[in-house]
Amino acid sequence: MQPGSGVGLRGRSGIISLVQACLKEPPTAERPVVMLLGPRGSGASEAHSMLMEHFGPEHPFAYVNLGGSQSLLPRYALALLARQLERKLPRYGRSHFPLLTLGLLASDQLLRMNSLAEGRRAIQRQLDAFQERSEERYGDYLAAFFEVASGAVGAPDGFSTMALALLQDALRRGRRRLPGRVFGGKYSASAAWYGSHPLTRSQDQWEALVELNLWRHEGDEQQERLDRVLFSAFLEDLRRNTARAFMPRSYLLLLDNSHTEYGRRFLDHLIRARHDDAVVTGTDCDPLTVVASSNRWLPRWGPATGDAWPWRLRGPDRASLQDWHEHRPTRDSDDTWWYPLRLRDLNLDEVRIRIDLELGGNPELAPFTRLTPFVHRLTGGLPRAVRQVLDVLQQSTAPAEDGPGQDRWLRTLPDQTLRVGEDTRTLVDAALGHLLRGFDPVARGALAECAAARDLSVGTRVLSSGETLFGEIRARWLLSPGTITPTLHPWLRRLLLWELGRRPGDWDTVHELLAEHFRTERQPVQAMYHRLAMGCIDEVTDHLLLRFPAVPTPQWISEFSLITSAPNRLPSHGGPLELLAGLAPLRPDQAVDAASAIRGLVAARWVWSDPLADPAMRLNDLIADGFTQLSQLRRNDIVALFNEAERYRHWRHPQTTESEG
């Protein structure tokens, strides 16, 4: 991605407006914890990059990747964030974190205090020694945490070069020896805050520091107590910073991949600390503008159905502070602080802009820009999927010019290789490996079978995969948003069906089981959907032929469209006309009647519904002609048939819907 391009947030301008409004609010104003939710590859990391690029040059920000390979304890995350927020900006004075730093120092290594009389001197000497050793080695104490948690500040895929430069500047290690005044002579004022904190038992400031130190070594429950105090110290440091002259009103916190174990712990502590301060004790709210991302439903929100959670997901385009205030739950629950935004897929225009930016400037690749409708129909607009398809096109020897050769090449697109660094895999393996990270081969194989059903809940039930698999998919946001029936995201489903197609026996068995289920349930349209997936064109034709005079035309068209959106296991070579010829060979002497017209229409629409089978939608005219023929064979109610013929003859995106491939 090029710096300043704004690709990552096209169609998501509401997020920028929301963050801007939060940063302009008075320091004590209440702000939401914005959660960007969506499956892996939905663009959350790009969103963090764009926010960093947009606000980073002039506002203090901190970024941490909570999904890295390293275990990131809350204390380490706080140190990394504070170290970045200390960055000096032209408009503001430098921020300091004396309370947090003292708490980290006091709990870092074992403190010893033999008596209260000598406690102050002994503890100060030990703290001085800890601090001096860190400064000699790292430049300043907080920078020492880069040594144990450096992986948490590495930028993932999707970051622009400008965002990377800003992040590197915020992480730059300089010799920032903390002046004595920061601790207010030297530790006394900060230590006093710990002595008066409600979670410390001793009111003596030095005993309180020793208490913190003991908690670090006394098991999980006490370590949890220590983390709570450190979060409280971090928020109090922020409040004190904003109370000074020439300081920002708010600080921007970017928490990527916060669905992990350590990410959830961090968010739990942050929400609890804010709620305790702003609601329980009546302290001013902290000045943090928090944008976190998660590709899993958080357990603290209850079941992934969302039934037990007071929030309903909002879209990113119209996100605003006013919307949050209007829809937030009451302040008697800490759920009041969340603001969940469901990242949506890119629409056709956004995919076109992305492809133009990526390929349009290269004369050799520019012809691929005409594939925008194909890429959008294939991927459903999932940002990472679009990126992966473009990478395959750029790395391959695919015919750039439109024509039969390109059609045949695109038919095999999932099996084309994708190189990412030193890793080379097929597109289908790379994409599924990313989307289904953590799934073992058995679960992945079972999911491919369940993907044969349009309704995933039916697939998991009929094929005896149980509720666990369905729940895991829902918790990972891998269901297609905005649909009544729980359907897999179109990109994920196409890839899984491509894999299932490599197992011909399993393909037929699964679709036969599903067809039998729907026959038993007296849902013939769904049964015919699965019969067509098995290649039973004549059976489907007979069914639709009987329905043609029996139901109103709009209903017949709806049933026809659903049935012919069935997946296929057609040969992996050949363009749309070749595939169609293998299904419904043209016979010059064949009389045109309802049966022949419907049969040809079924075959053409079935091929057309698969973007890999008809990437350029070359069968539009044949489908239009089929509807025209049917209009001539029906005695009444023919307007809908004429309209459908015109719709295909003059196809305009984004009219393509889920039922149309």
Side-chain angles (χ1 to χ4, degrees), residues 450-498:
C450 296
R454 294 177 71 252
D455 185 333
L456 184 66
S457 64
V458 172
T460 55
R461 185 171 68 252
V462 172
L463 302 174
S464 303
S465 294
E467 297 182 359
T468 302
L469 181 61
F470 179 77
E472 182 70 10
I473 291 297
R474 180 164 53 190
R476 290 174 176 242
W477 309 105
L478 289 169
L479 296 177
S480 186
T483 58
I484 298 175
T485 57
T487 306
L488 283 172
H489 189 281
W491 172 240
L492 174 59
R493 186 171 185 236
R494 291 192 197 285
L495 296 172
L496 288 169
L497 290 173
W498 184 271

Side-chain angles (χ1 to χ4, degrees), residues 196-216:
S196 61
H197 195 278
L199 287 178
T200 55
R201 297 184 181 89
S202 175
Q203 295 184 356
D204 179 84
Q205 56 195 33
W206 307 111
E207 287 186 340
L209 293 181
V210 174
E211 194 175 352
L212 295 185
N213 190 267
L214 293 175
W215 289 347
R216 174 81 186 279

Side-chain angles (χ1 to χ4, degrees), residues 242-256:
T242 56
R244 294 158 40 205
F246 306 108
M247 296 299 288
R249 293 184 169 198
S250 180
Y251 295 82
L252 177 59
L253 222 58
L254 303 174
L255 308 175
D256 207 354

